[in-house]
Amino acid sequence: MYANCQNAGLIINFITGQGVPCDTVVLLLMFPIIATIIAFLRQIVGIKAFGIYTPSIVIFALLGTGLKYGVAIFVSVILVGMVARFLLKGLRLLYLPRLAITLSLVAFSILVILMTGGSLQRTGLAAVSIFPLLMIIILVEKFIAAQIEKGGKTAMVLALETLIISLVGYYVIKNGYLIKTVVLYPWIVLLTVPINIFLGKWTGLRLSEYWRFREILKKSK
Amino acid sequence: MLKFFENGKKILGMNSRNLSYIRPCNLSKAKRLADDKILSKKFLKKAGIPVPKMIAKISSSNALEKFDWNVLPSSFALKPSRGFGGEGILVVYGKKKDADNVWIKADGSLITAEDLKNHVRNILDGSFSLAGVSDTAFFEERLKLLKLFKPYAFKGIPDIRVIVYNKVPVMAMLRLPTRDSGGKANLQQGAIGAGIDLASGITTTAVQGKFKIIEYAPETRFLLSGIKIPYWADILKLAVQAQEISGLGFLGADIAIDKDLGPVFLELNARPGLSIQIANLAGLKERLNRVQGLDIKTIERGVKVGQNLFGGEIEEGLEEISGRKVIGTAEKVKLIGKDGKEIEAEARIDTGAHSSSIDADLAEQLGFEKTVEEFKKIDTSGYILRPENEAIIKKDFIEKYKMQIPDLADVAVIFSSSGSSIRPVVKVNIIMDHIELISSCNITNRTDLKYPIIIGKRNLGKFLIDVNKK
């Protein structure tokens, strides 16, 4: 149970009245907010991550797994992805077969982790439901693609940035006030449109670029 | 602090590059041309721009199976047509003699036709292409490294990136492959970018990778500033010409210099990176703003405008940045000899010589007449002048004559095509462009030569040499 629609505005009441679960309604409304946060972090702050899809899917997955286990699984997936890169480097495989092998390695490692969790009486870990789990596992494709396109180091940075964005997003959509506000006044979600128009036209330097170009900024008179 | 943010307006950031320059200037048709190397090669060649010659191409796995590996020469480069960031490029330098279709890579390792086949298969599969879509592989002639770049480049071929906007070259850098970049001239992968003064084609400041400001080529004492790029005007012209015919309003032109062919156009880039600003320690936005809206009629005019606007103050700028003086190939110097005797003379600046040497007459005037005289008396015919004997000869000489000959600081064994010799070395102070150098000069007969003194590499560490300076 994620949200509570008892104290809802007219529209939400109407929608839930048609039998749509409250969680579904609120999560759908949260989605534009998350997308906007990701866009903001990219355009203004300069955190790249793996696009908009991956961080959002991770955010929703974290809701399912809980923060602790979700992050643990995320980190293990990335670690296995790194190890797989070294293991498979010498074989010079084509992209999809290579990815498939990496995915099986990830799947086995997750199995081992869940099993260990279970044996250590961490029932929460063992009982993590399969869909959020798969959502995090599939992230390895983005990771491998980034490794090939941009190199191992950049892929690591992107993975880390994805994790950071996901954590920010997670805390935002877990925020009780925000949930309540959205339930009461779902229209405020439309505010993301003008915000995104502004972001889409923003041509100033990103915060990260002030850091990147610091030598020039220091030097210029 | 406010200044810091104020300065940000001079810099081109990712948002502005995409929204204000790439989107309006580079239409998708032109972008498609730039992203397809085989196509752009054909296109450029048609317009008379020199490009590396294509040997063969493979566009399907069917063609791969039928491919005759014997058509490949002993050295070539294998590339994906839609590759980016230098990924997927494989270069071989020679063919193994007694084997059938085995080539040698830069690191000496061997590569068989079977390995090449695998690589081509990867390319066809789109492993190196932008969107992972299937791709075409092609073989082209391997460019030969210019001697000038040899000390600076690790394995691969350096190239020159020129940003062209509105027919004006606005910024340029020399990209040098390093060990970190695996021989690729790509900054993202750790190559070096050395900023270039547009007027003179001389490098100024340099960055390695995305952030690191460096002065010397890694693991060497070779300064990255002060490198004069040959064919500079031609390179700028090629860049502007390429913009005109490609229709890319905001173009990153990559041009390499081949030992035999001169400048050759490598690649059109529709999304040039921003690190060029760090290499030049200057903002691109400010320059783009200055060029925007200018009505440039001809290529030559565009090159001139770029050179005038974004270069010229190289000398002062260089001196300020590098802390080194810029000198020409001939300079007036003041020599201070024994007992403070001063003589002014014209010196030849010779980076080909290791140490400095002065004429015997001049040495006598500086108070070393005894040294010259005594040294003449020594019979040197007993020594075999070979580089491997150098240390022994030196040691022997010093032991025997250090006491006898006044002011003898050392001896120099000079090997040259015109005859090798053993020369006396004395301490002389040289003042050049207000900098005093304490130097060991060897003494030789230079009466027939224009300059009574040459200043060699060992004494030039505090200077940058501009061959055009009078």
Side-chain angles (χ1 to χ4, degrees), chain B residues 147-168:
Chain B
K147 214 170 176 185
L148 169 73
F149 291 146
K150 223 166 225 171
Y152 306 99
F154 180 81
K155 279 176 186 165
I157 296 277
D159 66 15
I160 294 139
R161 159 67 58 87
V162 185
I163 306 271
V164 190
Y165 178 63
N166 189 22
K167 288 194 203 166
V168 177

Side-chain angles (χ1 to χ4, degrees), chain A residues 124-197:
Chain A
L125 183 54
V128 165
S129 60
I130 182 66
F131 277 106
L133 208 59
L134 284 178
M135 282 149 113
I136 299 181
I137 290 176
I138 204 68
L139 170 130
V140 85
E141 170 166 20
K142 295 280 175 194
F143 184 64
I144 300 282
Q147 276 182 346
I148 293 171
E149 287 175 20
K150 300 183 174 114
K153 214 166 135 192
T154 316
M156 269 314 289
V157 173
L158 287 176
L160 194 71
E161 287 178 334
T162 302
L163 186 59
I164 292 170
I165 291 188
S166 306
L167 291 177
V168 172
Y170 175 81
Y171 280 111
V172 169
I173 65 166
K174 274 293 254 190
N175 185 299
Y177 287 110
L178 186 66
I179 295 174
K180 266 188 205 147
T181 316
V182 167
V183 167
L184 254 178
Y185 314 105
W187 299 119
I188 64 149
V189 172
L190 289 177
L191 271 179
T192 57
V193 175
I195 294 175
N196 278 305
I197 289 175

Side-chain angles (χ1 to χ4, degrees), chain A residues 43 92-95 148-149 200-206 209-210 212-217 219-221, chain B residues 4-5 7-8 10-11 13-16 19-20 84 115 122 127 130 211 213 274-275 277-278 281-282:
Chain A
Q43 305 303 332
R92 285 199 234 165
L93 297 174
L94 295 175
Y95 176 66
I148 293 171
E149 287 175 20
K201 299 250 181 227
W202 171 253
T203 58
L205 284 188
R206 299 172 185 173
E209 285 172 335
Y210 280 100
R212 178 178 175 191
F213 297 122
R214 62 193 180 279
E215 297 292 342
I216 312 175
L217 291 165
K219 194 215 132 217
S220 315
K221 279 153 221 158
Chain B
F4 191 81
F5 284 98
N7 275 334
K10 296 178 184 171
I11 292 174
M14 209 51 113
N15 293 337
S16 176
L19 198 65
S20 319
F84 56 93
D115 293 329
N122 257 319
S127 301
L130 266 171
F211 302 106
I213 305 282
L274 300 172
S275 295
Q277 301 177 96
I278 308 175
L281 284 184

